[in-house]
Amino acid sequence: MKEEKKYRVESDLLGELQVPEEAYYGVQTQRAINNYHISRKRMCDYPDYVIAIAYVKLAAVETNHTLGQIDDQIAGAIAQACREIIDGKLHENFVTDMVQGGAGTSVNMNANEVIANRALELLGHRKGEYQYCYPNDHVNCGQSTNDVYPTAIRLALIRMNKHLIASLSELVAAFRRKGEEFRNIIKMGRTQLQDAVPMTSGQEFRAFADNLEEEIANLNRNVELLHEINMGGTAIGTGLNAAPGYAKLCAQNLSRFTGDHFESSPDLVEATPDTGAYVSYSGALKRLAVKLSKICNDLRLLASGPRCGLNEINLPPMAPGSSIMPGKVNPVIPEVTNQTCFKVIGNDTTIMIAAEAGQLQLNVMEPIITECLVEDLTWLPNAMDTLREKCIEGITVNKERCLNMVKNSIGIVTALNPYIGYKNSTKIAKEALETGGSVYDLVLEKKLLTKEKLDAILDPAHMLDPTDIIE
C-alpha cells in the first residue's frame, strides 16, 4: 500500500499553505512552486548558483555575528547549514523556477527557508519551528533580496566563468595541436569564397587557435566587473536594517570564504538597480559565440563534398546523415555548435532588453538575465567540449587534394609575382582562365621557371616565410 504523503502547515502574509513534511523549504518556496512553471529549469539544475547563494548567506551570518546581531548558537547553526549546501548537500530543495516575478524574492526565500530549517535540525528542533530560527529575522538578517540576489548571481557567474575558460583553453590547445600537425600541408587560401594566395593548413588551424585564445583575456576582463557587490544596501541601497559597517565587512567575509576578491560598491544606491556588468559580460560571451560559430562555418565549408565540395579536410563521422540518401554523413558537431552560438547571441539580446527595462531603484527583470547567463555558461562549455572531443581532435587533411587545388588555382600567380613579374603573371592568369589550364603547368610550359624552383616557391616552408626569396 502506498504511504500517504505527509505535510506540515506554514503561514505567510497570504495565509496558510501545506508544505511536504520532509522538505527543507517552506511556505514562500511552496508558493513559488505553485506559481512558476515557465522555464522548467530550477535553481538546483545549476549547482554553482545554489553554492553561490549559500556562500552569500554564510558571509552574511558571519558579518551579523561579528556585529552582534545574531547570537552564537543560532549563527553557528546557520553557518553549518550554509557549509553543508556549499559541500553539495540539500540542493534538491532549491526548487524555484529560474524565471519568475518578484525580482528574485522567491530565490532568496528558498535559500532562507532551507537554511533555517536545516539550522533548526542542528539546534534540535523540527522543521517549521521558526520561533527558534526564523528565515527572515535570522537567516535574512540585515539583508534584502535586492542585495542578496545580485550578489549571488555575480558569484555564480564568476564560478561558472572558470569552467568556461577551462573548456575554451582546451579547445584552443586542440586547434593548436592540429596547427602543428598540418604545418607542412600547402593549400589555397580564399577571400570572398574566391581563390586568394597559398597558405598551409597549419596556418589556418593555428589562426583558429589564436582567434579563440583572445577571448580568454576578454572574458576575464569582463568578469572583473562582477566583483563589485551591493551587499549591505538592503532594499534600495540606503542600508536600512543593516548594522553599521555591514557592507564592507560582508564583502571581506565573502572574499575570505570564496577565495575571490569582492569589493563593496562605493554607491550602493547606484549599484542596486545597475545591471551594466551583466550586459558587458554577456557581450563577451556573444563575442566568443560569434567567433566560434564562424570557425564552425569554416570547418563545414572545408569538409564540404566529399566529391562535389572543397573536401580539404575530413571531419570524424558521427552519425548517418540522411534517412533517404545512403552514404551521406553530415557535419553534425559543428552544426550543433553553431546552434549553441545562436542561442547565446539571442540571449544577449534578451539581457540587453531586460537591463533596459529597469525602473527607478530596482531592476525587477534580473531573473531572466540570470537564466540567460547561466544557460550560456552551461551550453557553451558543453558545446566546446563536444566540438573538441568529437570533431577537432579527429580531423584529418586530404593533402593531395589541397596540393592539386593549389596547382590548379589562378591564385598562385600572386606568389609567383616576385619571380616572373606582374606582366607575365597577368598573362598566365588570363590564359589559365580562358583555357582552363593550370597556372603551374603553364609556367613550366612557357619555361618561366624550372620545376625545381617552382616547387621550392610553393614549398610549405617558403609559404610560412615568403620573405625568404628563392634564388
Side-chain angles (χ1 to χ4, degrees), residues 4 10 19 48 59 89 133-134 164 179 183 202 204 233 268 303 308 317 337 415 432:
E4 186 177 351
E10 293 192 14
V19 178
D48 280 307
K89 299 176 182 177
C133 181
Y134 195 64
L164 176 68
R183 68 186 184 280
E204 191 162 44
L268 295 174
C308 300
T337 306

Side-chain angles (χ1 to χ4, degrees), residues 69-83:
Q69 302 301 299
I70 302 179
D71 68 38
D72 295 352
Q73 191 177 26
I74 295 176
I78 291 173
Q80 184 174 334
C82 291
R83 288 192 172 93

Side-chain angles (χ1 to χ4, degrees), residues 44-231:
C44 59
D45 292 321
Y46 302 99
D48 280 307
Y49 186 30
V50 175
I51 290 169
I53 200 164
Y55 267 123
V56 172
K57 293 296 178 179
L58 178 60
V61 73
E62 177 74 10
T63 302
N64 281 319
H65 181 240
T66 300
L67 297 176
Q69 302 301 299
I70 302 179
D71 68 38
D72 295 352
Q73 191 177 26
I74 295 176
I78 291 173
Q80 184 174 334
C82 291
R83 288 192 172 93
E84 289 180 1
I85 295 166
I86 290 165
D87 289 340
K89 299 176 182 177
L90 305 174
H91 282 211
E92 68 278 6
N93 287 275
F94 288 80
V95 292
T96 57
D97 194 291
M98 290 297 295
V99 180
Q100 57 192 254
T105 297
S106 297
V107 167
N108 187 32
M109 287 309 303
N110 194 162
N112 290 335
E113 290 173 346
V114 171
I115 293 167
N117 279 309
R118 177 56 184 147
L120 285 171
E121 286 186 334
L122 294 168
L123 293 167
H125 304 292
R126 292 182 300 173
K127 298 183 187 77
E129 292 186 333
Y130 295 133
Q131 65 269 33
Y132 302 107
C133 181
Y134 195 64
N136 298 76
D137 292 341
H138 297 111
V139 183
N140 200 60
C141 177
Q143 302 152 64
S144 163
T145 294
N146 302 345
D147 57 359
V148 168
Y149 187 73
T151 301
I153 295 170
R154 287 164 185 252
L155 175 54
L157 297 179
I158 290 166
R159 289 175 61 88
M160 296 179 82
N161 183 71
K162 293 173 184 177
H163 306 318
L164 176 68
I165 294 296
S167 292
L168 178 54
S169 298
E170 290 180 0
L171 181 60
V172 167
F175 274 119
R176 206 168 293 289
R177 286 192 295 271
K178 287 297 170 181
E180 178 63 20
E181 181 183 344
F182 303 150
R183 68 186 184 280
N184 291 324
I185 298 175
I186 193 167
K187 59 157 286 175
M188 190 46 109
R190 298 174 181 86
T191 59
Q192 295 158 290
L193 294 180
Q194 306 298 304
D195 298 351
V197 297
M199 63 185 300
T200 68
S201 289
Q203 287 175 312
E204 191 162 44
F205 276 79
R206 191 175 67 219
F208 291 154
D210 290 339
N211 189 249
L212 290 175
E213 191 167 42
E214 293 176 353
E215 299 316 295
I216 296 174
N218 190 51
L219 286 163
N220 285 331
R221 276 193 300 271
N222 281 277
V223 86
E224 280 302 310
L225 300 172
L226 300 170
H227 287 77
E228 184 180 290
I229 60 174
N230 71 324
M231 284 297 289

Side-chain angles (χ1 to χ4, degrees), residues 103 272-276 278-279 348-369:
T272 300
D274 180 39
T275 53
Y278 308 135
V279 173
D348 181 69
T349 300
T350 299
I351 290 165
M352 175 186 66
I353 294 169
E356 185 277 334
Q359 296 170 320
L360 303 176
Q361 279 68 59
L362 184 65
N363 189 321
V364 302
M365 307 302 177
E366 284 193 357
I368 194 63
I369 293 176

